[in-house]
Amino acid sequence: MTQVFGVSPDELRESILIDVRAEIKFLALNFQPIIPPEYLTRQETAKILKVSLVTLSDWNKKKILNPYRLGNLIRYKRSEIEQSLICINTKKV
């Protein structure tokens, strides 16, 4: 049992509501939703990079790109493709 002296029940309730609202507002402003990774097919990746599928296979062998395999399916993460573009461009300079 908790006893509070010098505070009416209404004042206590208002104080708690103000603190809870402030905390919820803080959390809402700093909330970042989790964005699931987007996977691309070989054709989509080749189109983005403007290369042929043969070049794409060559870059896989050279570890320039990191393909994900599920049985016979090959997919690439869009975020990794964008990062690979940055790495490729910095190597040329």
Side-chain angles (χ1 to χ4, degrees):
M1 177 188 278
T2 303
Q3 293 183 349
V4 180
F5 295 101
V7 178
S8 72
D10 287 336
E11 290 174 338
L12 179 61
R13 185 176 66 80
E14 261 321 295
S15 175
I16 291 171
L17 283 175
I18 289 170
D19 290 341
V20 169
R21 285 181 184 136
E23 189 66 26
I24 289 173
K25 186 175 182 178
F26 173 78
L27 291 173
L29 290 174
N30 295 312
F31 177 72
Q32 296 293 327
I34 298 173
I35 300 170
E38 181 183 358
Y39 290 94
L40 305 171
T41 64
R42 291 181 71 230
Q43 289 78 12
E44 292 169 333
T45 304
K47 185 175 178 181
I48 289 170
L49 297 174
K50 296 182 181 176
V51 296
S52 68
L53 293 176
V54 174
T55 302
L56 206 60
S57 296
D58 186 46
W59 286 0
N60 292 341
K61 291 176 188 174
K62 292 180 179 179
K63 304 290 183 194
I64 295 172
L65 299 177
N66 183 25
Y68 293 87
R69 295 181 186 270
L70 180 63
N72 291 334
L73 301 176
I74 298 176
R75 297 291 185 261
Y76 301 88
K77 284 186 183 178
R78 180 180 288 277
S79 59
E80 291 178 2
I81 297 302
E82 292 167 356
Q83 187 62 38
S84 295
L85 279 174
I86 293 168
C87 291
I88 291 169
N89 287 330
T90 56
K91 288 179 183 178
K92 288 183 179 180
V93 174

